[in-house]
Amino acid sequence: MALSTGSNFIKPDDAFRAIVEAHRGLSEEQSADLNAALVLILANHIGQLDVLDEAIALAKRQMLQASQQQQQQQ
């Protein structure tokens, strides 16, 4: 199974809103803990190490690109 990077949600805005709302009222530490728990739950749901590895690599690339863009804008 290849990593799916397109939206699989009928209403992607609702999915984004659900994640944002889950963080409402949490401290930064609680929010980080929620993210970690959510990542582990969803990684287990995927259940395929090759797909997880691909997702990790993509997330790192996106994070580094965003960081580089922020540095260039300063």
Side-chain angles (χ1 to χ4, degrees):
M1 172 201 281
L3 179 66
S4 173
T5 57
S7 178
N8 291 317
F9 289 99
I10 294 171
K11 295 182 177 180
D13 290 344
D14 289 351
F16 179 77
R17 190 174 300 110
I19 293 170
V20 169
E21 287 298 319
H23 290 269
R24 189 174 306 281
L26 300 180
S27 68
E28 284 188 41
E29 183 178 352
Q30 290 170 322
S31 184
D33 289 347
L34 174 63
N35 281 337
L38 185 57
V39 165
L40 292 173
I41 291 166
L42 293 174
N44 183 65
H45 176 74
I46 291 168
Q48 294 185 352
L49 189 55
D50 59 332
V51 176
L52 180 60
D53 287 341
E54 190 177 349
I56 290 168
L58 176 60
K60 279 186 165 183
R61 279 194 310 272
Q62 289 178 342
M63 182 187 67
L64 292 172
Q65 287 173 351
S67 178
Q68 289 172 350
Q69 288 175 350
Q70 286 178 342
Q71 288 176 352
Q72 289 173 354
Q73 292 175 354
Q74 293 177 353

